[in-house]
Structure formats: structure tokens, C-alpha cells
Amino acid sequence: MNTRPAGDDALGTLCARWRRRTVAEGWRMPEDWAAPAVVPLAHAVLHGLAAEAPAQALGTARALADVGVTEGLRDVGALYDLCLTAVPHSVTLAFASGWETADTGPDPHAAARGMSGLPQHTEFLARAADIFAGIDSTREGGSLVLVTIDGRVGKVGAAARLVRWKRDVLLGEAVRLAFDARYPTGYRDGVAVVLGRSEPAGHLLADVARVRATLAGLARKNPSILRAPVRITLRPLPEDVAALHRIITADDPA
């Protein structure tokens, strides 16, 4: 895609720099970054115009391209960093709204996961049931362990949707950085759950230490959004999914 509209060299240069910055920060599919929706957002930011509508359009485009909301918001942040300004809350909300309400086609789980990008409890329990039944495996030994990561600062009112979205994004990213795909994960409103195994000795504890350190750093920068320190509990599991369901339901936000 040619991101350089005729007669606007500054806009073309900004789009090229934006892409390079995003790719350098870990964009998963560099060839898929260029989308028509990036140009109106870059134009709005470059010229100090209202950016909510183009941000929402870009959020929708990223969702339809199977780009996660965390990756998409990081990309928007890269644009604003290049322009030496902070992302306005209204732009974050607009992008998230476009992403959240997009028709994501054949994968209903992607839409259901919401801003954390982590599975909901129904998906988590389905994978856990396969592990209990021996159909799926974490490829490790030892006993099953449930890790609960509670990042809630306190009650978040219905009007504070931006706070919840930011919290969900931060918690989801921290969990994905610490625990790889062999761990089933679940999420609901500020509380993440991870199903792991106690062996090899030290592996799970190292991952828990990693998520704790990541969230401690994020909480220092976002004291009104994340609990500091985050509350992390490890507990052994009984041998059936019904008991697991009762445990995570008891840990659900009120």
C-alpha cells in the first residue's frame, strides 16, 4: 500500500516512520501493518485534528485482521510517541471500541476475549477438562496448580470503562509475557487464572516471579489502575473440573 498521499510529503514520511517504529517494537506480521485506516489517523495526529473517528476505524481494521488489542494499542502509542504527545484517553477508547465491536468472522473466541486478550472462563475450563481427561497436556509432570492473579485496585464503577480496559490490557499482556501457550489461562474483570504443573521444579515459580515483577513495574506507572503489589496465590487442585469451576467462581469479582 502507498501511504504517501499526493502533495503531503510530511504525512508519507510519518507513516513510514510509524511503520518502522511499530515493526521494531515487535509487530508480529510486518507485511500486514499497512492498512488504509492508518493514513487518516496519522493525518489527524500530524495536523492536530480530532482523531477519535479514525482511531475507531483503525481499531475495527486491526480486529478484522486478527491483530490483538494490546498489539494494536501499542501501535497507536508508537504514532503518538513519534509526534511527541501522549495518546488521549478518548482515542484509546475509540480504538478499543472499534476493535471490540468489529465482526471478527469465524473465530467467536477472539471477540469474546475482550481487552485482556485472554480466554474467558468457559474456554479455560474446556481446556482444563481436556487436561484432566488426558486429552491435552501441559507437557510437564507433577500435580496441577492453579495460579490466581488479582490486579484489582478496588471497585470500579460502571462509568470507569477506560480504567477497566487499561487494567485488562496491562494484565493480559503481563500474563502472556510470563506464561507461554502450554499454560491454559482464563480472565474475568481484573482476575487472571493460570493452570500449571508443579514440575519441573522451579519452572512455574519462575513464571510467577516474572509476572509479579512485570505487574509491579506496570503498577508503579498506573497506580490507580493496578493493585500494588498484585495479589498472586498458588493452590493445588482437586481431581475434577467441577471443583476447579467452584474455585474460580469463588475468586470472581463481586
Side-chain angles (χ1 to χ4, degrees):
M1 184 193 76
N2 180 9
T3 58
R4 186 188 296 269
D8 198 342
D9 290 342
L11 178 59
T13 299
L14 177 59
C15 287
R17 292 178 62 214
W18 179 12
R19 181 185 183 279
R20 286 197 298 271
R21 170 71 71 89
T22 287
V23 170
E25 290 180 354
W27 188 264
R28 289 177 299 131
M29 301 290 288
E31 63 275 16
D32 291 342
W33 179 87
V38 305
V39 178
L41 181 57
H43 174 82
V45 177
L46 179 64
H47 296 289
L49 305 175
E52 287 78 11
Q56 183 170 3
L58 182 59
T60 298
R62 294 311 193 201
L64 293 174
D66 198 28
V67 174
V69 68
T70 301
E71 189 172 19
L73 285 171
R74 189 184 297 118
D75 174 49
V76 173
L79 170 63
Y80 277 84
D81 283 347
L82 288 172
C83 295
L84 304 179
T85 185
V87 183
H89 287 179
S90 58
V91 170
T92 299
L93 280 171
F95 180 94
S97 177
W99 187 93
E100 192 176 45
T101 58
D103 176 10
T104 54
D107 183 5
H109 291 307
R113 288 181 178 184
M115 301 305 294
S116 74
L118 299 174
Q120 292 186 334
H121 283 171
T122 51
E123 190 177 344
F124 169 74
L125 289 168
R127 187 168 174 198
D130 288 343
I131 292 173
F132 280 121
I135 300 170
D136 192 5
S137 172
T138 59
R139 298 191 300 277
E140 295 180 343
S143 57
L144 288 163
V145 177
L146 180 70
V147 183
T148 303
I149 303 162
D150 187 348
R152 294 171 293 177
V153 172
K155 273 202 165 185
V156 179
R161 182 163 62 164
L162 177 60
V163 172
R164 293 200 309 275
W165 277 356
K166 283 190 170 183
R167 178 198 63 197
D168 293 352
V169 168
L170 295 174
L171 275 165
E173 183 169 15
V175 170
R176 284 192 301 276
L177 285 171
F179 300 97
D180 65 35
R182 73 182 184 273
Y183 293 108
T185 57
Y187 188 82
R188 182 172 183 268
D189 199 14
V191 180
V193 289
V194 182
L195 184 61
R197 288 187 179 273
S198 59
E199 295 179 5
H203 283 202
L204 181 60
L205 292 179
D207 292 334
V208 169
R210 189 178 302 115
V211 76
R212 189 187 300 277
T214 300
L215 286 169
L218 292 172
R220 283 193 294 270
K221 298 176 183 177
N222 303 272
S224 62
I225 294 174
L226 284 172
R227 178 196 296 270
V230 67
R231 185 167 63 198
I232 301 179
T233 58
L234 284 76
R235 71 188 86 182
L237 296 188
E239 294 300 319
D240 62 84
V241 177
L244 175 58
H245 180 269
R246 288 193 295 272
I247 290 172
I248 65 174
T249 300
D251 283 333
D252 271 353

